[in-house]
Amino acid sequence: MARVIYILGAGFSATCEIATDANMLDALNPLMDRTPPPKAPNSPGTDIDYLRDQLFFGKKEIGFEGFMSVLNSQSFLSECLDSVGKNIFEQQEENIVSTLRKYLEGKVDAAIATGQDNPIFQFIDRVKWDKDVVITFNYDLLLEKFLEKKQICPKHKIIHLHGSLLDSQTLIYPNYRKFTDEAQRKYFAERWKNAFEYLRGKIDAESVSEWVFIGYSMPVTDAEAMGLFAYADYYNSSGQRYGYKIIVVNPDPGVMKNYAFFRKKEITYHRLTLEEYLEN
């Protein structure tokens, strides 16, 4: 049997009640410190409340990734330094990321406690860990912790393209400018290169039978991710490595148009959640 490459998005982790991009800010906000920012001592609420009012006034809906992308881009403003020269926006980003880490750790621990009925265990049983590869855009360590629980050591390390709780660096937010920071680009370069080589079927001389996207919307704002898959698909199309199937598992029909850039047009769509897909 040839290798299967699984590409995981937020919909995969949502199986364990981890908030997706659309509702992550609301999930984090109750866990945030309510100490007012230094330059706004009278402002009520958390850093998230303050920044929503300051940067997204009048906008009812804002996703976590868009919110953090805008926040990250404000760090260059020299007027946003506190009395000791620290950048306020950078401090607020650190506060939110710290809360995110605690939130994800708690959710993973709770998922582990649910036992064998959790669909993540079923997914683990389906994957051939001595051959298959998992590429994920999620920050959490759901798979790592569940594999540890089952005493399984994958031959191929799970690739977290946007970082994970194991990374000391700031997590990556999928937007048009995510790798404009040179330090981040160098830090993540090796794992993106490895993902490309796996998608090309050039590691271990192992042929690839399927690319399976689970709960990943292929957001158009993430140019690097689209480029990764588009270039791998393009280079594969001219040779013998083009025998794999592309499978998309996502209950949202709106994501289908985001996969239209592939040269391989016979894409199989399953409008299913992870649990429903595993039952088939």
Side-chain angles (χ1 to χ4, degrees):
M1 292 292 290
R3 170 174 291 151
V4 176
I5 300 179
Y6 295 94
I7 301 101
L8 311 180
F12 180 88
S13 296
T15 303
C16 294
E17 299 183 356
I18 293 178
T20 59
D21 179 69
N23 51 25
M24 181 62 80
L25 289 174
D26 290 335
L28 297 181
N29 210 19
L31 308 177
M32 294 287 297
D33 181 9
R34 303 189 75 81
T35 304
K39 284 199 170 185
N42 298 320
S43 65
T46 66
D47 281 339
I48 290 176
D49 293 323
Y50 175 71
L51 291 165
R52 268 176 166 163
D53 181 67
Q54 187 177 44
L55 300 176
F56 303 96
F57 182 74
K59 190 168 185 177
K60 293 183 178 180
E61 297 180 0
I62 176 68
F64 176 77
E65 293 163 349
F67 180 93
M68 296 300 287
S69 296
V70 173
L71 172 57
N72 179 264
S73 69
Q74 303 304 305
S75 59
F76 69 91
L77 297 174
S78 58
E79 60 268 29
C80 294
L81 302 179
D82 63 15
S83 58
V84 294
K86 292 185 177 180
N87 188 287
I88 295 172
F89 283 123
E90 287 182 352
Q91 293 177 66
Q92 290 171 323
E93 182 179 2
E94 290 173 4
N95 292 342
I96 295 172
V97 170
S98 176
T99 301
L100 172 66
R101 290 178 181 275
K102 293 176 183 176
Y103 167 80
L104 292 177
E105 288 170 356
K107 284 294 185 180
V108 170
D109 288 343
I112 292 289
T114 61
Q116 294 291 331
D117 291 336
N118 194 294
I120 303 299
F121 276 122
Q122 299 170 39
F123 175 78
I124 286 175
D125 289 339
R126 172 173 292 203
V127 177
K128 296 177 176 60
W129 293 101
D130 61 337
K131 180 179 296 187
D132 296 344
V133 173
V134 174
I135 299 170
T136 178
F137 291 92
N138 299 332
Y139 306 132
D140 62 70
L141 299 175
L142 268 176
L143 279 179
E144 286 86 347
K145 295 299 183 182
F146 274 88
L147 286 167
E148 183 180 308
K149 185 77 172 178
K150 297 200 72 169
Q151 298 183 326
I152 296 174
C153 183
K155 179 180 179 180
H156 304 278
K157 185 178 180 180
I158 296 169
I159 303 175
H160 287 265
L161 290 180
H162 286 162
S164 76
L165 298 183
L166 295 176
D167 290 296
S168 59
Q169 298 251 346
T170 300
L171 303 175
I172 298 297
Y173 319 118
N175 57 45
Y176 292 118
R177 60 178 297 278
K178 71 181 180 186
F179 285 136
T180 54
D181 181 271
E182 184 177 0
Q184 284 187 342
R185 188 165 62 249
K186 288 181 177 179
Y187 183 82
F188 286 96
E190 187 65 25
R191 65 186 76 179
W192 280 75
K193 178 182 178 181
N194 287 340
F196 182 74
E197 295 297 310
Y198 277 119
L199 291 165
R200 291 288 325 276
K202 298 184 72 173
I203 293 183
D204 297 345
E206 188 75 56
S207 61
V208 177
S209 62
E210 295 178 351
W211 293 4
V212 183
F213 295 85
I214 302 178
Y216 182 61
S217 64
M218 194 70 72
V220 295
T221 53
D222 196 346
E224 280 86 358
M226 293 184 70
L228 171 69
F229 299 119
Y231 269 110
D233 190 57
Y234 165 74
Y235 284 115
N236 289 344
S237 68
S238 60
Q240 296 180 346
R241 297 190 178 96
Y242 211 47
Y244 54 84
K245 300 176 182 177
I246 296 178
I247 300 169
V248 179
V249 181
N250 200 308
D252 180 5
V255 308
M256 295 180 185
K257 64 181 182 298
N258 296 347
Y259 286 83
F261 64 87
F262 280 114
R263 289 172 173 266
K264 185 181 285 293
K265 297 306 180 184
E266 55 273 19
I267 298 176
T268 302
Y269 293 99
H270 296 284
R271 289 182 55 185
L272 303 171
T273 63
L274 173 63
E275 302 98 311
E276 293 167 339
Y277 175 68
L278 293 172
E279 289 173 359
N280 288 349

